[in-house]
Amino acid sequence: MTKEVLIRQIIDVLARAGFALSDRCNIRPRSFDVAARKGETLLLCKVLFNIDGLNEETAREMKYLAEYLGGSAIVVGAKTRDQMLEDSVVYMRYDILALNVQTLHDYFIENVPPLVSAAPGGLYVSIEGDLLKKARMDQSMSLGTLAGMVGVSRRTISKYEEEGMDASIDVVLHLEDIFGVELARPINILKSCGSRKPRKKMEARAEGQEKSFMLLPEDLILNTISMLGYDVLPTAQAPFKAISRDKSTVILTGVSEFNTTVIKRAHLMSSISCVTETQSVFIINGRSKIKSVENTVLIEKKELDRISDSEELLDFIEERKDNHEGA
């Protein structure tokens, strides 16, 4: 199987599951390959034939983007090291959940969540501790008695019950056989993300650059957006330069001089913004020959400089979009 075949399989599974999909991110480097949405569920999906190809920098950016967009970051692949990924098993790489296409299919099409996670030393299952404790108490069984039956310590049984400590597959099957109840906790591959506020970090970085007279034009533009009242998350591997967010609006934000690459990126940003339900803006450092590309509004730096706050910027974006649609 090639990566191209793998990507087509993933897109097919997500489409069959009812997801709306963005265009594929075909600009390198890329922190994710496709964005997908179904209702309130948003996925940023990275495709790697070998999941060990995920590096820490890419994983960090995937997590930040997912947090800002209110979605989940996942990796879908085919192998790890010298073996294929197993069905119904999830793997972790830099705190990003990874799985194969079959597991993706089972979760989103068959509504069958995985139960097993891979970790150093083997495969493990999380136990529903409350259910285990109730089952044991219902049979008036002591910790020591159960520990002897399973072949583990009393402390281990206590950790299963109180802390939900993972157990080997054999132990979980043994426990389920003893009590006749299902104890494995399903794995939710959709990790809801909280919010971060990297604007202060960006401003601190900008201040340091100003002191050394090395502030780049794109950093100046992002700092201008930040001063309008947005939290700004700079990116290194996405098709946009940053995500800008205030209390009500999220904007995929590109920054560049006008060229043919801008148009290509603006098309891709438009597709992603439709799926992520965000605005899409490209700030042009200099003159722009066009006002918009699909849903992406192009704004010249001098136009941005005349805007005083986030509400005015949003009004400017909406007015330019309306004019484009009416043209």
Side-chain angles (χ1 to χ4, degrees):
M1 180 192 297
T2 65
K3 181 179 177 181
E4 185 64 30
V5 172
L6 181 61
I7 291 176
R8 288 202 299 267
Q9 289 179 344
I10 293 164
I11 290 174
D12 178 64
V13 167
L14 292 174
R16 288 169 57 197
F19 281 84
L21 294 120
S22 73
D23 293 342
R24 286 172 51 184
C25 297
N26 53 3
I27 299 172
R28 293 179 178 274
R30 51 180 175 266
S31 50
F32 64 95
D33 287 276
V34 66
R37 177 180 289 279
K38 181 180 179 181
E40 295 300 312
T41 299
L42 173 66
L43 293 177
L44 298 182
C45 181
K46 177 74 174 176
V47 181
L48 292 169
F49 186 80
N50 187 330
I51 63 172
D52 298 318
L54 182 69
N55 60 53
E56 187 173 5
E57 180 184 2
T58 300
R60 184 184 304 114
E61 181 160 303
M62 287 179 68
K63 288 186 288 186
Y64 283 159
L65 291 174
E67 288 167 0
Y68 249 61
L69 295 170
S72 304
I74 64 171
V75 171
V76 183
K79 65 173 292 186
T80 174
R81 299 181 181 87
D82 58 351
Q83 63 184 18
M84 305 304 289
L85 301 185
E86 296 191 39
D87 297 345
S88 302
V89 176
V90 299
Y91 303 73
M92 297 299 294
R93 294 295 182 271
Y94 299 108
D95 202 31
I96 297 285
L97 188 147
L99 64 164
N100 68 11
V101 176
Q102 185 60 52
T103 307
L104 187 76
H105 172 277
D106 292 345
Y107 190 89
F108 286 113
I109 294 181
E110 303 297 335
N111 294 316
V112 177
L115 300 175
V116 182
S117 59
L123 301 177
Y124 297 90
V125 177
S126 293
I127 292 177
E128 296 282 7
D130 291 342
L131 292 180
L132 174 59
K133 186 172 184 178
K134 182 179 184 302
R136 181 177 62 81
M137 298 296 287
D138 286 346
Q139 294 192 19
S140 300
M141 186 183 297
S142 69
L143 287 171
T145 299
L146 180 57
M149 295 174 68
V150 179
V152 298
S153 69
R154 293 175 73 258
R155 179 174 174 79
T156 298
I157 295 295
S158 180
K159 285 188 174 183
Y160 291 158
E161 293 184 351
E162 303 300 334
E163 302 175 20
M165 186 176 73
D166 291 351
S168 69
I169 295 175
D170 288 343
V171 166
V172 175
L173 291 176
H174 196 172
L175 288 169
E176 290 183 339
D177 185 57
I178 290 171
F179 296 113
V181 295
E182 294 183 0
L183 297 172
R185 179 185 296 127
I187 297 171
N188 180 11
I189 72 171
L190 302 175
K191 291 187 174 181
S192 297
C193 299
S195 62
R196 292 181 180 264
K197 295 183 178 180
R199 179 180 62 171
K200 293 181 180 179
K201 294 181 181 179
M202 194 202 76
E203 290 173 349
R205 182 187 68 176
E207 290 172 2
Q209 289 173 323
E210 286 176 333
K211 290 178 182 178
S212 60
F213 304 101
M214 295 178 62
L215 193 63
L216 300 174
E218 59 193 27
D219 293 312
L220 281 169
I221 290 173
L222 293 183
N223 195 55
T224 298
I225 294 172
S226 177
M227 297 304 293
L228 293 178
Y230 287 93
D231 288 331
V232 178
L233 172 69
T235 65
Q237 301 182 46
F240 36 85
K241 185 63 180 176
I243 292 182
S244 307
R245 182 181 68 181
D246 67 1
K247 294 180 179 179
S248 61
T249 309
V250 178
I251 304 175
L252 307 184
T253 311
V255 179
S256 177
E257 296 180 353
F258 185 86
N259 51 44
T260 55
T261 302
V262 164
I263 297 176
K264 181 179 180 181
R265 287 184 178 270
H267 277 292
L268 180 54
M269 286 170 59
S270 292
S271 175
I272 295 171
S273 71
C274 287
V275 171
T276 57
E277 298 179 354
T278 60
Q279 298 283 357
S280 180
V281 170
F282 226 114
I283 308 300
I284 302 300
N285 189 27
R287 296 194 61 181
S288 176
K289 295 181 181 179
I290 55 178
K291 300 296 185 183
S292 61
V293 177
E294 297 176 355
N295 294 322
T296 301
V297 170
L298 276 65
I299 301 175
E300 293 180 358
K301 172 64 166 57
K302 64 181 180 181
E303 295 175 312
L304 179 67
D305 290 338
R306 294 195 291 266
I307 295 173
S308 59
D309 56 38
S310 60
E311 290 186 8
E312 189 175 341
L313 176 59
L314 184 59
D315 289 342
F316 185 97
I317 293 169
E318 294 295 344
E319 180 179 353
R320 181 151 290 180
K321 288 171 68 175
D322 289 342
N323 290 339
H324 173 71
E325 292 173 356

mmCIF file of all heavy atoms in Angstrom, residues 32-56:
data_model
loop_
_atom_site.group_PDB
_atom_site.id
_atom_site.type_symbol
_atom_site.label_atom_id
_atom_site.label_comp_id
_atom_site.label_asym_id
_atom_site.label_seq_id
_atom_site.Cartn_x
_atom_site.Cartn_y
_atom_site.Cartn_z
ATOM 1 N N PHE A 32 -1.138 18.973 8.855
ATOM 2 C CA PHE A 32 -2.232 18.021 8.673
ATOM 3 C C PHE A 32 -2.526 17.911 7.182
ATOM 4 O O PHE A 32 -2.168 18.793 6.397
ATOM 5 C CB PHE A 32 -3.481 18.450 9.453
ATOM 6 C CG PHE A 32 -4.092 19.749 9.011
ATOM 7 C CD1 PHE A 32 -5.137 19.782 8.100
ATOM 8 C CD2 PHE A 32 -3.635 20.960 9.517
ATOM 9 C CE1 PHE A 32 -5.702 20.979 7.689
ATOM 10 C CE2 PHE A 32 -4.193 22.160 9.125
ATOM 11 C CZ PHE A 32 -5.232 22.172 8.206
ATOM 12 N N ASP A 33 -3.171 16.811 6.796
ATOM 13 C CA ASP A 33 -3.435 16.563 5.375
ATOM 14 C C ASP A 33 -4.848 16.919 4.950
ATOM 15 O O ASP A 33 -5.073 17.289 3.802
ATOM 16 C CB ASP A 33 -3.163 15.089 5.050
ATOM 17 C CG ASP A 33 -1.680 14.767 5.039
ATOM 18 O OD1 ASP A 33 -1.038 14.996 4.000
ATOM 19 O OD2 ASP A 33 -1.162 14.321 6.072
ATOM 20 N N VAL A 34 -5.792 16.777 5.863
ATOM 21 C CA VAL A 34 -7.178 17.076 5.518
ATOM 22 C C VAL A 34 -7.934 17.440 6.787
ATOM 23 O O VAL A 34 -7.661 16.919 7.867
ATOM 24 C CB VAL A 34 -7.847 15.867 4.805
ATOM 25 C CG1 VAL A 34 -7.975 14.677 5.741
ATOM 26 C CG2 VAL A 34 -9.198 16.237 4.219
ATOM 27 N N ALA A 35 -8.868 18.391 6.654
ATOM 28 C CA ALA A 35 -9.782 18.736 7.742
ATOM 29 C C ALA A 35 -11.144 18.138 7.406
ATOM 30 O O ALA A 35 -11.560 18.122 6.239
ATOM 31 C CB ALA A 35 -9.889 20.247 7.900
ATOM 32 N N ALA A 36 -11.833 17.625 8.417
ATOM 33 C CA ALA A 36 -13.126 16.971 8.198
ATOM 34 C C ALA A 36 -14.088 17.354 9.312
ATOM 35 O O ALA A 36 -13.693 17.423 10.479
ATOM 36 C CB ALA A 36 -12.958 15.451 8.143
ATOM 37 N N ARG A 37 -15.337 17.615 8.944
ATOM 38 C CA ARG A 37 -16.335 17.980 9.955
ATOM 39 C C ARG A 37 -17.627 17.205 9.747
ATOM 40 O O ARG A 37 -18.092 17.021 8.619
ATOM 41 C CB ARG A 37 -16.654 19.480 9.915
ATOM 42 C CG ARG A 37 -17.752 19.887 10.917
ATOM 43 C CD ARG A 37 -18.063 21.361 10.877
ATOM 44 N NE ARG A 37 -16.986 22.159 11.426
ATOM 45 C CZ ARG A 37 -16.789 22.365 12.732
ATOM 46 N NH1 ARG A 37 -17.607 21.792 13.618
ATOM 47 N NH2 ARG A 37 -15.804 23.131 13.147
ATOM 48 N N LYS A 38 -18.201 16.784 10.885
ATOM 49 C CA LYS A 38 -19.535 16.204 10.916
ATOM 50 C C LYS A 38 -20.227 16.751 12.153
ATOM 51 O O LYS A 38 -19.895 16.368 13.275
ATOM 52 C CB LYS A 38 -19.473 14.681 10.971
ATOM 53 C CG LYS A 38 -20.842 14.009 10.982
ATOM 54 C CD LYS A 38 -20.702 12.495 11.042
ATOM 55 C CE LYS A 38 -22.073 11.824 11.066
ATOM 56 N NZ LYS A 38 -21.945 10.342 11.152
ATOM 57 N N GLY A 39 -21.180 17.671 11.964
ATOM 58 C CA GLY A 39 -21.828 18.296 13.100
ATOM 59 C C GLY A 39 -20.824 19.060 13.937
ATOM 60 O O GLY A 39 -20.105 19.929 13.442
ATOM 61 N N GLU A 40 -20.744 18.720 15.212
ATOM 62 C CA GLU A 40 -19.818 19.395 16.113
ATOM 63 C C GLU A 40 -18.442 18.744 16.129
ATOM 64 O O GLU A 40 -17.542 19.224 16.819
ATOM 65 C CB GLU A 40 -20.391 19.392 17.541
ATOM 66 C CG GLU A 40 -21.671 20.190 17.693
ATOM 67 C CD GLU A 40 -21.472 21.650 17.330
ATOM 68 O OE1 GLU A 40 -20.491 22.255 17.815
ATOM 69 O OE2 GLU A 40 -22.280 22.188 16.547
ATOM 70 N N THR A 41 -18.276 17.663 15.385
ATOM 71 C CA THR A 41 -17.007 16.938 15.379
ATOM 72 C C THR A 41 -16.097 17.464 14.272
ATOM 73 O O THR A 41 -16.459 17.431 13.095
ATOM 74 C CB THR A 41 -17.232 15.432 15.173
ATOM 75 O OG1 THR A 41 -18.023 14.918 16.245
ATOM 76 C CG2 THR A 41 -15.901 14.687 15.135
ATOM 77 N N LEU A 42 -14.937 17.960 14.652
ATOM 78 C CA LEU A 42 -13.949 18.438 13.693
ATOM 79 C C LEU A 42 -12.668 17.638 13.860
ATOM 80 O O LEU A 42 -12.162 17.488 14.968
ATOM 81 C CB LEU A 42 -13.654 19.930 13.916
ATOM 82 C CG LEU A 42 -12.514 20.520 13.081
ATOM 83 C CD1 LEU A 42 -12.870 20.527 11.596
ATOM 84 C CD2 LEU A 42 -12.173 21.934 13.560
ATOM 85 N N LEU A 43 -12.153 17.109 12.759
ATOM 86 C CA LEU A 43 -10.909 16.345 12.757
ATOM 87 C C LEU A 43 -9.850 17.057 11.931
ATOM 88 O O LEU A 43 -10.138 17.529 10.821
ATOM 89 C CB LEU A 43 -11.123 14.955 12.161
ATOM 90 C CG LEU A 43 -11.984 13.932 12.899
ATOM 91 C CD1 LEU A 43 -12.098 12.671 12.060
ATOM 92 C CD2 LEU A 43 -11.385 13.623 14.256
ATOM 93 N N LEU A 44 -8.647 17.116 12.452
ATOM 94 C CA LEU A 44 -7.474 17.472 11.663
ATOM 95 C C LEU A 44 -6.671 16.195 11.535
ATOM 96 O O LEU A 44 -6.123 15.685 12.514
ATOM 97 C CB LEU A 44 -6.659 18.567 12.355
ATOM 98 C CG LEU A 44 -7.361 19.904 12.579
ATOM 99 C CD1 LEU A 44 -6.402 20.904 13.219
ATOM 100 C CD2 LEU A 44 -7.918 20.466 11.285
ATOM 101 N N CYS A 45 -6.609 15.668 10.319
ATOM 102 C CA CYS A 45 -6.073 14.331 10.098
ATOM 103 C C CYS A 45 -4.721 14.395 9.386
ATOM 104 O O CYS A 45 -4.610 14.969 8.302
ATOM 105 C CB CYS A 45 -7.070 13.520 9.273
ATOM 106 S SG CYS A 45 -6.561 11.830 8.953
ATOM 107 N N LYS A 46 -3.725 13.804 10.012
ATOM 108 C CA LYS A 46 -2.399 13.670 9.423
ATOM 109 C C LYS A 46 -2.235 12.236 8.937
ATOM 110 O O LYS A 46 -2.516 11.286 9.681
ATOM 111 C CB LYS A 46 -1.334 13.975 10.476
ATOM 112 C CG LYS A 46 0.105 13.813 10.009
ATOM 113 C CD LYS A 46 0.515 14.943 9.108
ATOM 114 C CE LYS A 46 2.002 14.875 8.754
ATOM 115 N NZ LYS A 46 2.391 15.925 7.790
ATOM 116 N N VAL A 47 -1.805 12.069 7.692
ATOM 117 C CA VAL A 47 -1.657 10.740 7.107
ATOM 118 C C VAL A 47 -0.172 10.414 6.977
ATOM 119 O O VAL A 47 0.590 11.146 6.345
ATOM 120 C CB VAL A 47 -2.332 10.662 5.726
ATOM 121 C CG1 VAL A 47 -2.188 9.255 5.144
ATOM 122 C CG2 VAL A 47 -3.805 11.058 5.824
ATOM 123 N N LEU A 48 0.231 9.313 7.612
ATOM 124 C CA LEU A 48 1.617 8.847 7.550
ATOM 125 C C LEU A 48 1.605 7.341 7.358
ATOM 126 O O LEU A 48 0.991 6.625 8.155
ATOM 127 C CB LEU A 48 2.367 9.188 8.841
ATOM 128 C CG LEU A 48 2.645 10.659 9.131
ATOM 129 C CD1 LEU A 48 3.141 10.819 10.566
ATOM 130 C CD2 LEU A 48 3.670 11.208 8.155
ATOM 131 N N PHE A 49 2.256 6.842 6.334
ATOM 132 C CA PHE A 49 2.307 5.395 6.153
ATOM 133 C C PHE A 49 2.942 4.747 7.384
ATOM 134 O O PHE A 49 2.435 3.757 7.910
ATOM 135 C CB PHE A 49 3.093 5.038 4.892
ATOM 136 C CG PHE A 49 3.049 3.569 4.573
ATOM 137 C CD1 PHE A 49 1.940 3.022 3.945
ATOM 138 C CD2 PHE A 49 4.100 2.735 4.917
ATOM 139 C CE1 PHE A 49 1.882 1.663 3.668
ATOM 140 C CE2 PHE A 49 4.055 1.382 4.644
ATOM 141 C CZ PHE A 49 2.936 0.842 4.016
ATOM 142 N N ASN A 50 4.041 5.327 7.865
ATOM 143 C CA ASN A 50 4.670 4.880 9.102
ATOM 144 C C ASN A 50 4.438 5.967 10.155
ATOM 145 O O ASN A 50 4.951 7.078 10.024
ATOM 146 C CB ASN A 50 6.170 4.648 8.899
ATOM 147 C CG ASN A 50 6.836 4.021 10.110
ATOM 148 O OD1 ASN A 50 6.418 4.218 11.248
ATOM 149 N ND2 ASN A 50 7.900 3.257 9.871
ATOM 150 N N ILE A 51 3.691 5.656 11.203
ATOM 151 C CA ILE A 51 3.327 6.677 12.184
ATOM 152 C C ILE A 51 4.534 7.185 12.963
ATOM 153 O O ILE A 51 4.462 8.246 13.592
ATOM 154 C CB ILE A 51 2.252 6.167 13.164
ATOM 155 C CG1 ILE A 51 2.761 4.993 13.998
ATOM 156 C CG2 ILE A 51 0.987 5.801 12.418
ATOM 157 C CD1 ILE A 51 1.801 4.574 15.101
ATOM 158 N N ASP A 52 5.644 6.461 12.918
ATOM 159 C CA ASP A 52 6.851 6.931 13.593
ATOM 160 C C ASP A 52 7.462 8.129 12.873
ATOM 161 O O ASP A 52 8.404 8.748 13.378
ATOM 162 C CB ASP A 52 7.879 5.802 13.693
ATOM 163 C CG ASP A 52 7.356 4.634 14.523
ATOM 164 O OD1 ASP A 52 6.733 4.893 15.568
ATOM 165 O OD2 ASP A 52 7.551 3.476 14.120
ATOM 166 N N GLY A 53 6.928 8.460 11.696
ATOM 167 C CA GLY A 53 7.399 9.636 10.976
ATOM 168 C C GLY A 53 6.891 10.942 11.560
ATOM 169 O O GLY A 53 7.344 12.020 11.158
ATOM 170 N N LEU A 54 5.961 10.870 12.510
ATOM 171 C CA LEU A 54 5.472 12.088 13.161
ATOM 172 C C LEU A 54 6.550 12.624 14.093
ATOM 173 O O LEU A 54 7.051 11.909 14.954
ATOM 174 C CB LEU A 54 4.200 11.790 13.959
ATOM 175 C CG LEU A 54 3.545 12.993 14.651
ATOM 176 C CD1 LEU A 54 2.947 13.943 13.630
ATOM 177 C CD2 LEU A 54 2.476 12.535 15.643
ATOM 178 N N ASN A 55 6.913 13.897 13.926
ATOM 179 C CA ASN A 55 7.908 14.492 14.817
ATOM 180 C C ASN A 55 7.236 15.390 15.848
ATOM 181 O O ASN A 55 6.060 15.737 15.735
ATOM 182 C CB ASN A 55 8.976 15.262 14.027
ATOM 183 C CG ASN A 55 8.389 16.405 13.202
ATOM 184 O OD1 ASN A 55 7.663 17.252 13.720
ATOM 185 N ND2 ASN A 55 8.704 16.435 11.912
ATOM 186 N N GLU A 56 7.990 15.746 16.851
ATOM 187 C CA GLU A 56 7.431 16.498 17.982
ATOM 188 C C GLU A 56 6.909 17.862 17.562
ATOM 189 O O GLU A 56 5.863 18.316 18.037
ATOM 190 C CB GLU A 56 8.487 16.650 19.072
ATOM 191 C CG GLU A 56 7.956 17.259 20.356
ATOM 192 C CD GLU A 56 8.985 17.250 21.467
ATOM 193 O OE1 GLU A 56 10.140 16.851 21.221
ATOM 194 O OE2 GLU A 56 8.619 17.637 22.598
#
